[in-house]
Amino acid sequence: MRLNGDRYELSGEIDPLYLCNKYGVPLYVYDTSIMERQYKRLSEAFGVPSLKINFACKALNNITVLKFMRSLGAGLDTVSIEEVRLGLAAGFDPHSIIYTPNCVSIEEIELAIEAGVRINIDNISTLEQIGTKHPDLPVCIRINPHIMAGGNSKISTGHIDSKFGISIHQMPHVLRIVDAIGLKIEGVHMHTGSDILDVDVFLEGAEILLKIARHFKHLDYIDFGSGFKVPYKTDDISTDIEELGEKISERFKIFCSKYGHDLTLMFEPGKFLVSEAGFFFAKVNVIKQTTSTVFAGIDSGLNHLIRPMFYNAHHTILNASNPTGKPRIYTVVGYICETDTFGVNRLIPQLHEDDVLCFLNAGAYCFTMSSNYNSRLRPAEVLIHEGKDYLIRKRETMDDLMKNQVDIDIFQEKTKNA
Ligand SMILES: *Cc1c(COP(=O)(O)O)cnc(C)c1O
């Protein structure tokens, strides 16, 4: 969103307040031009013969967004059978979907196998069971390289106590199973967590993964997962994708020449592709001055955008109704009866009741983490593509809240003083 005079505008010169009037608030808006910019930046950073970028479905699972990702040439990274089915519904070829579950049932993995998608296994017992039943099915294995990475402990997945992946120290056991069954390992994978800042930490993980990859003779691809950090504040540091791309590509090419043939280099970003493409708009219901604080209470809460409460994520908050007003200090809170703070002591152009706020970086893990807590309805989603706006998810209605409830009628009212 850029400032044009005293108004914000989205790409294609679309006025965000026009969208808020047309579709109502709270509202999620996604911009395909930003997704495309990020996709191109990532693909151009790597100079290897074969590169595949799989969009992490859990970041933003709207089927129209998935179709857009497919049109860019992306594959899809999925973590549940439901995400696999969304991907198929969006028209992805089963072979361009990779399924990386954790702690799911064998029955669910069987369903993914039936669907024909690539299977990524992250547990030895699962490898043994699936391998015995499907000895001819090439699979990928997820490694835990035991490096500490990621913005905080809730999103770091590669450390020693993590439940994700097969420990590098268990490789002898893995090899024993692979040899005994005659399994073909088509890929090795790691995903050490979201928000990796440091190119060197990434390379350290890559080095460990490549060392393990040497053991397998039938590889098709090596999947370095994700964790690319994007800026959430103006002065935030983000992963230097170009530097990372150059270093990984160089290392990968050396590996491939020693391995004997070219493999596909894979990544599976969520945040990097869609975080900055999303905008969340919500109205200020009340300005409440207490003894110590000026609260701006908005028409939303952790039910719509939980990242600030869930892992202290910082989302920049703008006043879309009064972009050039005099900045004042506010604590922005929601209407949920629970800790529901979006931001403390934020400098925001002076707010009035009914002003519309805009939360930046609302593309990844925002709508997909929303809920009906406090019996609230989920907002609509709108896509901006080539200067036009499209409704891509309807706002929920009371019927959606009621739809699966079974209203049984078995209670007699107790009459008083009977
Ligand atoms: C969540 C997840 C991703 C995406 O992570 P981002 O930080 O959004 O890029 C990639 N791979 C796996 C296996 C994941 O679980």
Side-chain angles (χ1 to χ4, degrees):
M1 223 165 54
R2 336 174 283 162
L3 207 52
N4 181 6
D6 59 354
R7 290 261 150 248
Y8 280 117
E9 62 182 30
L10 293 155
S11 79
E13 293 171 22
I14 292 176
D15 177 358
L17 296 180
Y18 159 79
L19 295 183
C20 292
N21 272 327
K22 181 171 174 185
Y23 299 103
V25 276
L27 184 70
Y28 276 102
V29 175
Y30 311 118
D31 182 342
T32 55
S33 71
I34 299 175
M35 299 181 204
E36 185 166 359
R37 176 194 79 198
Q38 292 295 94
Y39 184 84
K40 284 204 170 130
R41 191 175 156 210
L42 194 59
S43 15
E44 283 163 11
F46 296 92
V48 291
S50 174
L51 175 75
K52 188 79 193 172
I53 295 169
N54 298 319
F55 171 55
C57 182
K58 73 179 188 294
L60 182 56
N61 68 358
N62 189 293
I63 196 152
T64 307
V65 171
L66 302 186
K67 285 183 173 176
F68 179 69
M69 289 295 171
R70 183 167 65 84
S71 78
L72 294 177
L76 195 68
D77 172 67
T78 61
V79 294
S80 68
I81 189 68
E82 289 82 358
E83 286 188 351
V84 166
R85 288 172 182 158
L86 276 178
L88 294 171
F92 281 94
D93 179 78
H95 237 66
S96 63
I97 298 179
I98 179 158
Y99 170 64
T100 301
N102 173 259
C103 295
V104 306
S105 67
I106 292 290
E107 290 76 15
E108 184 174 317
I109 298 175
E110 291 287 357
L111 292 173
I113 293 172
E114 261 170 54
V117 302
R118 294 190 191 271
I119 309 293
N120 189 6
I121 291 181
D122 98 327
N123 174 29
I124 286 194
S125 140
T126 312
L127 182 69
E128 206 170 332
Q129 291 177 73
I130 295 294
T132 326
K133 255 188 108 184
H134 306 272
D136 297 325
L137 178 79
V139 294
C140 178
I141 52 171
R142 178 176 185 169
I143 302 302
N144 183 342
H146 300 311
I147 52 167
M148 188 64 192
N152 73 45
S153 60
K154 279 191 191 161
I155 50 179
S156 175
T157 60
H159 58 88
I160 191 93
D161 296 323
S162 168
K163 67 169 183 150
F164 297 98
I166 299 173
S167 166
I168 43 173
H169 306 302
Q170 290 175 304
M171 277 312 116
H173 192 175
V174 168
L175 292 171
R176 195 186 303 268
I177 293 168
V178 168
D179 285 344
I181 304 174
L183 273 181
K184 281 197 172 67
I185 302 299
E186 64 168 0
V188 287
H189 166 277
M190 68 166 192
H191 172 68
T192 47
S194 279
D195 274 8
I196 298 172
L197 202 53
D198 197 335
V199 170
D200 291 331
V201 174
F202 205 101
L203 286 167
E204 198 188 315
E207 214 48 63
I208 296 170
L209 190 62
L210 291 177
K211 206 165 145 193
I212 282 171
R214 286 197 312 234
H215 294 295
F216 302 103
K217 301 289 162 242
H218 306 280
L219 290 180
D220 237 1
Y221 57 91
I222 296 187
D223 187 339
F224 288 103
S226 180
F228 310 126
K229 195 173 163 67
V230 295
Y232 274 70
K233 295 181 230 167
T234 31
D235 53 350
D236 253 2
I237 313 163
S238 50
T239 308
D240 186 340
I241 293 292
E242 286 71 25
E243 185 195 352
L244 182 76
E246 206 174 297
K247 289 188 170 164
I248 291 266
S249 305
E250 198 181 312
R251 183 65 191 88
F252 191 71
K253 282 191 277 190
I254 295 171
F255 175 86
C256 290
S257 76
K258 281 193 190 149
Y259 188 77
H261 64 95
D262 277 329
L263 302 176
T264 298
L265 177 57
M266 272 192 195
F267 287 99
E268 43 187 36
K271 210 178 262 180
F272 185 83
L273 295 180
V274 295
S275 174
E276 294 162 284
F279 304 87
F280 179 59
F281 296 94
K283 189 170 66 93
V284 176
N285 280 339
V286 295
I287 301 291
K288 181 172 186 172
Q289 167 109 49
T290 66
T291 42
S292 62
T293 308
V294 183
F295 287 103
I298 68 167
D299 195 27
S300 182
L302 59 81
N303 52 318
H304 295 153
L305 201 171
I306 202 174
R307 299 185 73 258
M309 304 79 180
F310 192 32
Y311 25 59
N312 277 328
H314 180 101
H315 286 262
T316 296
I317 306 171
L318 307 173
N319 183 351
S321 301
N322 181 22
T324 53
K326 193 172 151 204
R328 309 228 6 218
I329 292 170
Y330 299 93
T331 289
V332 179
V333 296
Y335 53 29
I336 294 290
C337 299
E338 189 89 51
T339 314
D340 201 20
T341 304
F342 288 101
V344 177
N345 298 339
R346 294 297 186 85
L347 213 50
I348 302 170
Q350 177 142 19
L351 290 173
H352 306 90
E353 289 171 0
D354 289 337
D355 277 0
V356 174
L357 296 185
C358 176
F359 293 75
L360 300 185
N361 289 88
Y365 307 103
C366 290
F367 188 94
T368 49
M369 284 193 172
S370 66
S371 75
N372 290 120
Y373 189 46
N374 279 205
S375 304
R376 294 288 182 180
L377 307 173
R378 267 179 279 234
E381 292 181 298
V382 165
L383 191 78
I384 298 179
H385 182 62
E386 295 176 350
K388 291 205 186 105
D389 52 283
Y390 302 88
L391 182 68
I392 58 170
R393 190 189 300 261
K394 291 189 235 170
R395 186 174 301 285
E396 284 183 340
T397 65
M398 208 48 211
D399 286 343
D400 294 308
L401 270 193
M402 298 292 289
K403 150 174 97 193
N404 291 324
Q405 301 204 42
V406 181
D407 187 5
I408 54 171
D409 198 9
I410 54 170
F411 310 113
Q412 323 269 300
E413 240 176 85
K414 299 266 190 297
T415 41
K416 271 186 201 157
N417 308 322

